[in-house]
Structures are given as structure tokens and as C-alpha cells.
Amino acid sequence: MRIFDPHIHMTSRTTDDYRAMYDAGVRALVEPAFWLGQPRTGVSSFRDYFDGLVGWERFRAERFGIRHHCAIALNPKEANDPRLAGVLELLPRYLAKDGVVAVGEVGFDSQTAEEEKAFRYQLELAREFELPVLVHTPHRDKAAGTRRTLELVAESGLDPRTVLVDHLNETTVGMVHESGCTMGFSIYPDTKMSPDRMVRILQEWGTERMIVNSAADWGHSDPLTTLRTGEAMRAAGFSEAEAERVLWDNPVEFYGQSGRLVLDEIGAADISETFSGNSILRGQPDGGAR
């Protein structure tokens, strides 16, 4: 079963995760820009972070046979920090780069005026660069935040098929389904959605416009929950084609709207190759910088 993880934060993960993901069938992913768990204090921090997403992390993933793409944005949580307002001016430079397949994560965290201002601006950037949008829905007051998200998307005039509204659950799937937007679900060990809950949603709403991700990051998360969801689908009677539709076809169709997906097989990569003089090897004579 081929897997495309459409939302995972590999900057936070180890090379063991890449190996396990490849063995599980993951052949491509999208890493959205997000909050690192600790507040950043200046625009230059984002510049370095964005450079890593389009450069080093893409190189690192390919050493393990996985095609890495990313989404670029000022995330909603840090949109509230006045020290970071200048990040919005950086975005056009990065949205034009190869491997950037969406604007994201954008949306709401605490549903403030500052978050809405940044959200509106980045929706306009998506229109300008003709890119899909990955939207983060808030963990608190999720229904209200999702409803306001859909209002802003409608006001923007963007085709709803180019907008992926993520972190949905049983209380929000209906309104997003009705909107015509693509529906995203994050499968987590303890919070958000579980594989069994996801299966019940798929049984009720079908597989069209449905996308499942691990959203694995620096918190308690698991980069193999996409595989677990596929296994749960098969155990519940879904066909292998239906499972692959959710885990591969749908994310490929969505991010393919960018015109920038690269999905050809990599094959065995030379792990001693370097990026800016550095390889992923450590403690060996040919291991590059240490």
C-alpha cells in the first residue's frame, strides 16, 4: 500500500522514523511550516527554518527513498507575536521555490484579530502564486474556528477544492464536506483522531475529498498512524483500492494542483552524499561534517 503523508513535521523526527516510514510504504510527504514548541524571537529564525524546509530536509528525506515537499506560511500561533510581522514579507520569496506545494499551515489558534489578518493575507498569496492552501483548525472552540475559516475561504473567492481544512473531527466534518473543501484528519496516539474513529467517519461520509495524515511532530505522535489507518480500513471491509485512495490518490490529487509534485521512485540513495558539505552520516571517516 502506497502512502503519501500530507502533513508531517519531519524536522522534528529522526532518521529511524524515515526508515520506518519507508518500510511502511510512505513514498512522499508534505511538511508544513509550523510552530516549533518554543517562541521564535525574530524574522531571521524563520528565514533559516524555511531554508531548511526547502533544502536540507528535502535532501535528508531522499536519502531514505521518500520525496519531500513542503508548505510555507506564518503559522497562526506565532501570527500573534508583533516581533514576527515581517515574516509575511518573506513568504513570496519562498512560495516561488520548487518543492513548495502549498501555503500552510495558516488559519486559527486562539481566533484573534491578528490571526485573521494573517490568514486573509496568506489566502491572497495562495491566489497570487496559484497554490493550494493547508488550513489549521484550532484545538479550542474548533467548531467556531472551522466555521469562521469557511467564511473567510468563501470571501477569498478561492476554489474550495484548493483548500484543505485539517484537524477535523466528528463535530466539524459535516460543515467542511458541505463547503466543497478537502477534508483533513490528523491521527494521533491520544488526541485528535484515532484510526477506528477515522474508519467510522469514512463509513459515514465516503472517501471522496478525504485525506489522512499523521501530523507527527515534537510532541507525543507517531509517523506510522497513516499505515495504522489503512490497516483499520482493510479490517473494516474497505478494499485496498479504497485505502489507497485515501492514503495516496487524494493527497496526490490535492497537492498536484500546485504543479510541483515530484513522485518518481528514488531507489537506493547514497547516504554519503552531502548537502552544503554535510552528510547524514556521523562518526565515520567519510561521514562529512560532524
Side-chain angles (χ1 to χ4, degrees), residues 59-238:
F59 168 84
R60 195 166 75 107
E62 290 180 357
R63 306 284 71 73
F64 297 93
I66 297 175
R67 290 295 185 187
H68 180 283
H69 311 83
C70 67
I72 296 291
L74 173 62
N75 68 83
K77 185 175 184 67
E78 290 180 290
N80 294 296
D81 191 334
R83 297 173 296 180
L84 305 178
V87 174
L88 295 174
E89 299 173 11
L90 281 182
L91 298 181
R93 167 185 170 186
Y94 288 94
L95 293 177
K97 290 184 178 293
D98 291 342
V100 178
V101 296
V103 178
E105 298 178 54
V106 300
F108 289 115
D109 178 58
S110 299
Q111 302 181 55
T112 65
E114 291 80 7
E115 290 172 18
E116 181 162 322
K117 180 180 178 181
F119 190 5
R120 287 179 181 274
Y121 177 77
Q122 292 179 100
L123 289 175
E124 286 303 311
L125 285 178
R127 177 197 298 281
E128 178 182 346
F129 285 86
E130 299 181 337
L131 288 173
V133 184
L134 173 61
V135 180
H136 170 99
T137 53
H139 304 304
R140 302 174 299 280
D141 297 324
K142 183 175 288 291
T146 303
R147 191 172 298 109
R148 184 56 181 156
T149 289
L150 297 176
E151 291 171 354
L152 294 178
V153 169
E155 290 175 14
S156 75
L158 290 171
D159 185 336
R161 293 174 297 181
T162 67
V163 180
L164 169 54
V165 184
D166 211 347
H167 306 317
L168 299 181
N169 59 23
E170 294 87 347
T171 66
T172 53
V173 59
M175 68 177 84
V176 180
H177 186 277
E178 183 178 357
S179 75
C181 292
T182 301
M183 295 158 281
F185 300 84
S186 300
I187 314 301
Y188 256 47
D190 298 318
T191 60
K192 300 180 183 178
M193 295 293 295
S194 68
D196 289 340
R197 287 170 62 196
M198 189 68 233
V199 165
R200 289 193 289 273
I201 283 180
L202 291 168
Q203 289 170 329
E204 179 176 359
W205 295 95
T207 60
E208 185 178 354
R209 290 188 282 126
M210 292 286 190
I211 287 181
V212 167
N213 64 74
S214 70
D217 55 17
W218 38 259
H220 184 202
S221 51
D222 181 354
L224 300 185
T225 53
T226 48
L227 172 64
R228 308 287 180 248
T229 302
E231 292 171 340
M233 288 180 68
R234 297 289 284 121
F238 284 93

